[in-house]
C-alpha cells in the first residue's frame, strides 16, 4: 500500500527548511546583538532581545528556552556595560518575565504534542485494521494501491479498499463512506471486516454486495450517534478470474472504474456483457448496465445489485478510484479531468500508474488535496492469466453521450 509523505514537496528541501526554522531563535538573538553593536546608542536595539525566548517557546524544550533566556540576559548586560545603554533594569525585567512565560508555553506545547502523538498512534492502529496492506500479487492478479487521508492529523479517512484470494477468484473492494476523517472509520471498518469474512463464503458477487449492505445496516443499528442511521457508502466490488481473463463488477453507486487497454493502437481489448463503456482513445469508462443502491441504502431506495461481466485483453488494467480523485480542484475551481488524463497513460505500466496519478493530483491542486483519496489498479500478470477468451458475439461499447 502506498501512503505518500505529504503533499508533493521534496523531503530534502523540507528538512533544510525545518533545520533553519529550529535555529531561528538563536539566529534572532545573534542578529539583535549585532544590530545593538552597530546602531547608535539612542536606538537601544537590545530591548528587542525578549523576542528570542518567546520564539523559542514554539519549537524548543523548556530547558533550552530557559537557557536562551539566560544567554540573552547576559548579552544584554554585556552590551550595557560596553555601550552604556539606558533602561537596562527595565529591559532585564522584561526579558526575565518573557523567558518565564516562554518556558511555561513550551511546557504546554510539549504536553499537547505528546497527546497528539498518542492520538496518531491510535489512528495508525485503526488504519492497520481498516486498510491492511494489500499484496502486490494475489493468485496471478497484480494489485497496486494508493491512499491519502484528508485529515492529515488523523492519517485515516472514510475511503477504503481490500483484496482477497478466494475459491471464486480474486475479489476486490473499493469504496467511500459518507463523510471523512475519524467519524467514518467505524463504517469503513464494518464494511471491510464484513467483506473479508463473506468474500470466502458467498459464491455470487451480487449476493456478496447484499451481505455487505446487511452488515453496515446492522452496524448502524448498534451506534448511538444521532446520524448513525444516515451512514452509507458507495463501493465497487470486482471478481477477477485470472485463468479465464474474466472480471465481474458490481457498482454500488460509486464512480465507475476505467479500463486501460493493452491492445494495439489503443484499441480496447475488453468486451463483455452489461458493462457500458464511454469510449476514450485507449480507455473505457465501465458504467454499470443497471444502477445498484449504495451500501445501507437498499432497504430505503430499493433495487437489486447487478453483476456485469467483461473479458480482459492482454495488458489490460482496471483503475478503481474514489470521488476524491475526480473532485480535486485547481486554483480556478475546475475539476481534475481523470478520463482525459487516463487516456494518455495507456502505455504506462500498472506499478507506475498510481505514482503518476498522485504527482498529477498534487500538481493540479497546488498541493491542496482536501478530500480522502483512494485508488487501486488491477491487472493480470504476464503468464498468469492464460490466453484471452473469445469475445461474445454482438458485444459492443456504448457510445460516449
Amino acid at each position: 500500500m502506498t501512503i505518500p509523505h505529504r503533499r508533493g514537496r521534496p523531503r530534502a528541501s523540507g528538512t533544510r527548511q525545518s533545520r533553519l526554522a529550529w535555529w531561528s531563535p538563536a539566529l534572532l538573538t545573534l542578529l539583535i546583538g549585532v544590530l545593538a553593536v552597530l546602531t547608535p546608542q539612542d536606538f537601544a536595539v537590545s530591548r528587542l532581545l525578549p523576542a528570542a525566548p518567546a520564539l523559542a517557546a514554539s519549537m524548543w524544550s523548556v530547558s533550552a528556552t530557559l537557557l536562551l533566556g539566560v544567554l540573552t540576559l547576559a548579552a544584554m548586560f554585556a552590551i550595557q556595560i560596553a555601550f552604556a545603554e539606558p533602561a537596562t533594569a527595565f529591559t532585564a525585567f522584561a526579558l526575565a518575565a518573557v523567558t518565564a512565560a516562554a518556558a511555561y508555553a513550551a511546557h504546554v506545547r510539549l504536553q499537547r504534542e505528546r497527546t497528539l502523538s498518542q492520538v496518531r498512534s491510535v489512528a495508525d492502529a485503526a488504519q492497520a485494521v481498516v486498510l491492511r496492506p494489500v499484496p502486490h500479487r494475489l493468485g496471478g492478479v497484480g494489485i497496486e494501491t494508493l491512499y491519502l487521508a484528508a485529515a492529515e492529523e488523523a492519517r485515516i479517512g472514510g475511503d477504503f479498499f481490500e483484496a482477497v484470494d478466494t475459491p471464486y477468484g480474486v475479489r476486490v473492494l473499493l469504496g467511500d463512506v459518507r463523510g471523512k476523517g475519524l467519524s467514518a472509520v467505524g463504517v469503513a471498518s464494518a464494511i471491510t471486516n464484513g467483506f473479508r469474512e463473506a468474500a470466502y463464503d458467498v459464491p455470487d458477487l451480487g449476493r456478496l454486495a447484499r451481505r455487505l449492505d446487511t452488515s453496515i445496516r446492522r452496524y448502524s443499528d448498534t451506534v448511538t450517534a444521532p446520524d448513525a442511521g444516515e451512514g452509507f457508502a458507495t463501493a465497487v466490488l470486482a471478481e477477477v478470474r485470472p485463468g479465464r481473463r474474466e472480471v465481474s463488477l458490481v457498482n454500488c453507486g460509486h464512480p465507475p472504474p476505467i479500463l486501460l487497454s493493452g491492445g494495439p493502437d489503443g484499441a480496447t481489448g475488453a468486451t463483455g456483457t452489461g458493462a457500458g463503456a464511454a469510449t476514450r482513445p485507449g480507455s473505457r469508462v465501465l458504467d454499470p448496465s443497471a444502477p445498484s443502491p449504495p451500501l445501507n441504502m437498499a432497504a430505503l431506495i430499493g433495487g437489486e445489485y447487478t453483476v456485469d461481466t467483461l473479458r480482459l485483453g492482454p495488458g489490460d488494467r482496471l483503475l478503481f478510484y474514489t470521488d476524491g480523485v475526480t473532485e480535486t480542484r485547481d486554483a480556478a475551481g475546475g475539476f481534475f479531468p481523470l478520463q482525459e488524463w487516463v487516456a494518455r497513460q495507456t502505455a504506462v505500466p500498472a506499478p507506475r500508474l498510481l505514482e503518476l496519478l498522485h504527482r498529477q493530483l498534487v500538481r493540479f491542486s497546488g498541493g491542496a488535496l482536501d478530500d480522502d483519496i483512494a485508488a487501486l489498479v488491477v491487472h493480470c500478470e504476464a503468464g498468469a492469466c492464460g490466453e484471452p477468451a473469445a469475445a461474445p458475439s454482438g458485444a459492443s461499447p456504448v457510445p460516449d453521450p
Side-chain angles (χ1 to χ4, degrees), residues 4-378:
H5 176 62
R6 197 71 178 176
R7 299 257 185 197
R9 289 189 176 183
R11 291 191 182 185
S13 175
T15 301
R16 287 193 297 268
Q17 293 177 1
S18 298
R19 289 176 179 174
L20 182 61
W22 193 88
W23 283 104
S24 59
L27 295 176
L28 179 61
T29 302
L30 179 61
L31 176 62
I32 295 174
V34 171
L35 291 177
V37 172
L38 297 180
T39 55
Q41 180 178 345
D42 294 340
F43 282 96
V45 179
S46 62
R47 295 183 183 181
L48 298 176
L49 284 172
L55 178 61
S58 65
M59 60 192 76
W60 287 8
S61 66
V62 175
S63 58
T65 301
L66 288 173
L67 178 60
L68 181 65
V70 172
L71 292 177
T72 53
L73 188 62
M76 185 207 65
F77 280 120
I79 292 172
Q80 193 276 332
I81 294 173
F83 299 96
E85 284 194 357
T88 303
F90 174 80
T91 306
F93 176 79
L95 183 55
V98 170
T99 298
Y104 177 74
H107 170 72
V108 173
R109 173 184 57 81
L110 291 172
Q111 283 188 322
R112 292 180 177 177
E113 288 179 353
R114 282 191 290 267
T115 301
L116 179 58
S117 177
Q118 293 173 352
V119 171
R120 284 179 171 173
S121 297
V122 172
D124 287 341
Q127 187 176 40
V129 173
V130 179
L131 292 177
R132 297 186 306 186
V134 175
H136 289 287
R137 184 180 184 275
L138 277 175
V141 176
I143 301 174
E144 308 295 333
T145 60
L146 171 70
Y147 179 78
L148 290 167
E152 184 177 9
E153 294 79 6
R155 293 184 284 187
I156 189 168
D159 292 2
F160 56 89
F161 49 72
E162 183 58 285
V164 292
D165 189 6
T166 75
Y168 314 105
V170 175
R171 286 180 164 177
V172 177
L173 168 71
L174 181 138
D176 183 6
V177 176
R178 172 184 174 269
K180 60 185 179 182
L182 292 176
S183 61
V185 173
V187 177
S189 178
I191 296 174
T192 54
N193 287 332
F195 174 78
R196 290 162 188 158
E197 178 67 24
Y200 293 93
D201 302 327
V202 181
D204 180 72
L205 204 61
R207 289 173 56 193
L208 177 58
R210 177 68 66 176
R211 177 84 165 265
L212 296 181
D213 178 86
T214 302
S215 296
I216 187 175
R217 186 172 68 250
R218 290 173 177 170
Y219 169 81
S220 298
D221 291 341
T222 65
V223 179
T224 59
D227 60 346
E230 301 176 7
F232 66 90
T234 64
V236 177
L237 289 90
E239 180 182 286
V240 186
R241 292 172 288 279
R244 300 170 56 184
R245 283 195 180 274
E246 188 175 82
V247 58
S248 298
L249 298 170
V250 175
N251 191 325
C252 309
H254 197 77
I258 299 177
L259 173 72
L260 287 83
S261 171
D265 302 325
T268 182
T271 57
T273 58
T279 304
R280 293 286 187 275
S283 67
R284 295 170 55 192
V285 179
L286 302 177
D287 292 313
S289 60
S292 298
L295 301 178
N296 201 29
M297 296 288 286
L300 179 63
I301 66 178
E304 296 297 324
Y305 289 101
T306 304
V307 180
D308 294 322
T309 303
L310 67 149
R311 301 187 187 278
L312 300 177
D316 286 352
R317 291 139 291 160
L318 285 170
L319 171 64
F320 302 85
Y321 57 93
T322 58
D323 58 7
V325 175
T326 53
E327 293 180 0
T328 297
R329 294 176 180 266
D330 59 13
F335 291 108
F336 177 66
L338 178 63
Q339 295 179 25
E340 288 74 9
W341 181 84
V342 167
R344 300 191 296 271
Q345 313 303 318
T346 53
V348 176
R352 182 164 169 75
L353 183 63
L354 293 183
E355 178 184 348
L356 293 178
L357 176 61
H358 174 230
R359 292 182 180 178
Q360 186 64 28
L361 289 173
V362 170
R363 185 180 302 113
F364 184 82
S365 65
L369 299 178
D370 57 0
D371 195 5
D372 299 332
I373 288 176
L376 185 147
V377 173
V378 172

